[in-house]
Amino acid sequence: MFRKTVPQKAFSVPREPRMEERKGSILHFHVSRLMCPLLSLLIFLSFLKPTKTYARNEIQFVDVTAEAGIHFKHTDGRSGQKYLLETLGSGAVFFDYDNDGDIDLYIVNGADLPGLTSKVAPKNVLYRNNGNGAFTDVTARAGVGDTGYGVGCAAADYDNDGYQDLYVTNYGPNVLYHNNGDGTFTDVTKKAGVGDSRWSTSCAFLDYNLDGYLDLYVVNYIKFSIKESRWWEVRGFRIYCSPTDRIKGNVFVGESDTLYRNNGDGTFTDVTKAAAVFSRGLGLAVAVGDYDNDGDPDIHVANDMEGDYLFRNNGDSTFTDVTLFSGAGYDEHGIAGSGMGSAFGDYNNDGYFDIVVSNASSLPVILYRNEKFGFFPMSLLFPGLDRSRSPISSGRLNSSITITMVFWTSLLQTVICKTMSSFLQMQHTHSKICFSRTEGMVNLPMCRKKQDLIC
């Protein structure tokens, strides 16, 4: 065994420095003491500089409503009677009604309810974009000042004449306005056959049968009557009833939505049952998008206090309800949310539409990520980003499905992980499910145990 020899360094006793050398060292010492805080300050300022630059470049919004000439005030008609109708707001749509290249604005209004009489009857308003940052109220000239109790609206060119038309949903008869191409509209509701008189909420134009003419999907809420309206009383105070009372089956009864097929001659036909989209729910929002990339539009409906719906277009003028198999209807516990809004969009730019659903107050937003097999795993955006929620997919029997769980917060990690494990154990006998991790986006330390992943 050989021992490595390490050469020894020469050892010497340092000499006593001369006075001039001492002065130089003392000066160097004082300069060093002075430079330390100075350098620290410079380093600190260098970190602040990018922040200031970023602050100057970040996007900011300024309220220019009054400056733009938009003086709209929504009326919900409340008079203390606590009609459930008063609890919903109204919609609006941006569209270029006069084809001048500037986006105009149409806002839906409510109406007076028993016990309230406004000095000026509330009506919907159309604002023309002047092209200079200002708008002009052209409601009277355009003829679109509907005075019904409005809830939603949608704009599209349903008759292919090159001008966008307007559909308005109401509590009461809905209205279809045909764009005459000269800055005015004509009420063609009766002729078109789309004047549903129930409590309609949202609506959307889509060419579901790909015949070149836009069809119309209308979402309806509940059976409701002003005369038969009910309320609760708490300690002598009248308050609104809640849709949760619907569980009893004697107060809130959901309405079915309506799909109108465009006949191509200015009229529509109710094909709800024929197209297999007939279902009763407390519908509040509808979104249209081709989530499976097969070339035809699919439909997602957000329902209040119950599961949402996802209808897949079969390409033969019919739809299939794939809510349960897709997982796009309930939250991670299989509990219905309280859907208020719904939209398709490719948030991760993978070429497939995802779904986001907003829910009622105190409930989180739900983002369903499209896994390219038509299955939407659950992504929760907890309160703080918005108010809303929804699902886990069990998929087809005996099939392998990849579900990605994405959480933007560490809140309830332990509970969620336990729920994930329970769900996997429950479903393992019916299908093979794997959870794919996205460690770069989220931190789920409680879910990284090997036993939490069952395949």
Side-chain angles (χ1 to χ4, degrees):
M1 183 173 230
F2 297 94
R3 179 179 297 176
K4 185 176 181 180
T5 303
V6 180
Q8 300 292 320
K9 292 185 179 180
F11 179 82
S12 60
V13 177
R15 65 180 176 81
E16 185 73 9
R18 295 189 297 269
M19 181 59 65
E20 57 272 17
E21 291 178 341
R22 287 184 178 182
K23 291 180 179 178
S25 62
I26 294 173
L27 177 63
H28 177 73
F29 176 73
H30 285 303
V31 171
S32 298
R33 290 184 63 183
L34 179 64
M35 288 298 292
C36 286
L38 181 60
L39 288 173
S40 299
L41 178 61
L42 290 175
I43 293 172
F44 177 75
L45 292 176
S46 68
F47 281 109
L48 289 181
K49 187 176 180 181
T51 304
K52 291 181 178 179
T53 303
Y54 176 77
R56 288 196 299 268
N57 294 334
E58 67 181 355
I59 298 175
Q60 296 183 353
F61 288 90
V62 178
D63 185 350
V64 295
T65 309
E67 180 184 341
I70 299 175
H71 307 288
F72 177 84
K73 183 177 181 180
H74 179 262
T75 300
D76 57 22
R78 68 182 62 197
S79 62
Q81 302 300 313
K82 302 300 181 181
Y83 297 113
L84 186 66
L85 191 63
E86 305 164 7
T87 63
L88 291 184
S90 297
V93 60
F94 281 101
F95 72 119
D96 186 6
Y97 86 95
D98 52 2
N99 286 359
D100 64 352
D102 296 311
I103 302 301
D104 311 295
L105 174 63
Y106 186 78
I107 309 178
V108 177
N109 209 343
D112 290 342
L113 295 176
L116 177 67
T117 302
S118 301
K119 294 181 179 179
V120 179
K123 63 181 178 181
N124 302 346
V125 181
L126 174 62
Y127 289 100
R128 185 191 67 222
N129 190 328
N130 302 328
N132 59 359
F135 291 78
T136 299
D137 185 342
V138 294
T139 310
R141 180 180 183 278
V144 290
D146 184 44
T147 57
Y149 200 103
V151 183
C153 59
D157 181 14
Y158 77 89
D159 57 352
N160 294 340
D161 64 353
Y163 289 90
Q164 294 189 63
D165 310 293
L166 187 63
Y167 188 77
V168 180
T169 59
N170 292 318
Y171 166 65
N174 299 331
V175 181
L176 176 62
Y177 290 109
H178 173 261
N179 193 327
N180 301 321
D182 59 0
T184 67
F185 291 77
T186 299
D187 184 342
V188 295
T189 310
K190 187 175 181 179
K191 174 187 175 183
V194 291
D196 197 327
S197 60
R198 294 174 293 174
W199 184 352
S200 299
T201 54
S202 295
C203 55
F205 286 96
L206 72 159
D207 187 5
Y208 85 97
N209 54 1
L210 303 182
D211 65 351
Y213 288 92
L214 290 177
D215 312 294
L216 177 63
Y217 190 93
V218 180
V219 178
N220 296 302
Y221 192 43
I222 63 174
K223 294 182 183 297
F224 179 79
S225 169
I226 294 292
K227 295 181 180 180
E228 299 177 0
S229 178
R230 300 185 185 184
W231 60 87
W232 292 343
E233 282 196 15
V234 178
R235 296 178 182 178
F237 292 95
R238 181 180 296 193
I239 64 174
Y240 296 104
C241 282
S242 168
T244 53
D245 222 21
R246 180 178 183 271
I247 298 174
K248 300 178 182 179
N250 59 356
V251 177
F252 294 95
V253 179
E255 288 279 21
S256 62
D257 299 337
T258 306
L259 174 61
Y260 293 104
R261 185 190 65 220
N262 191 329
N263 300 322
D265 58 359
T267 66
F268 291 78
T269 299
D270 184 344
V271 294
T272 309
K273 292 184 177 180
V277 290
F278 181 84
S279 56
R280 293 187 182 278
L282 303 177
L284 286 177
V286 58
V288 175
D290 183 13
Y291 83 91
D292 52 1
N293 285 351
D294 64 353
D296 44 42
D298 309 297
I299 299 172
H300 184 271
V301 179
N303 292 312
D304 188 12
M305 304 299 295
E306 58 187 6
D308 301 330
Y309 300 139
L310 178 60
F311 296 108
R312 186 188 68 223
N313 195 322
N314 300 322
D316 59 359
S317 297
T318 66
F319 291 81
T320 297
D321 185 346
V322 295
T323 305
L324 296 179
F325 286 127
S326 69
Y330 299 86
D331 69 8
E332 74 278 17
H333 305 292
I335 299 174
S338 186
M340 300 285 152
S342 177
F344 280 98
D346 185 5
Y347 88 96
N348 54 357
N349 294 324
D350 65 352
Y352 286 80
F353 278 133
D354 312 290
I355 301 175
V356 63
V357 178
S358 61
N359 289 272
S361 176
S362 79
L363 297 178
V365 174
I366 289 294
L367 172 63
Y368 299 104
R369 188 164 99 178
N370 192 329
E371 291 294 348
K372 304 178 185 179
F373 305 104
F375 300 96
F376 294 85
M378 178 199 62
S379 299
L380 291 183
L381 309 182
F382 286 95
L385 293 178
D386 197 358
R387 303 177 182 275
S388 318
R389 72 173 167 168
S390 220
I392 279 186
S393 170
S394 61
R396 298 173 183 172
L397 299 182
N398 303 319
S399 63
S400 179
I401 305 162
T402 300
I403 299 179
T404 305
M405 306 292 288
V406 181
F407 300 90
W408 269 261
T409 175
S410 60
L411 182 64
L412 299 178
Q413 283 183 351
T414 304
V415 176
I416 291 172
C417 293
K418 290 181 179 178
T419 303
M420 288 164 55
S421 299
S422 299
F423 175 80
L424 287 171
Q425 293 170 5
M426 176 181 65
Q427 294 292 335
H428 188 59
T429 57
H430 300 291
S431 59
K432 189 175 182 181
I433 302 177
C434 298
F435 284 82
S436 61
R437 303 290 189 232
T438 54
E439 303 296 349
M441 295 180 62
V442 294
N443 181 24
L444 292 175
M446 300 300 297
C447 298
R448 290 179 179 171
K449 296 180 181 179
K450 186 176 180 181
Q451 58 266 30
D452 285 340
L453 183 61
I454 302 177
C455 295

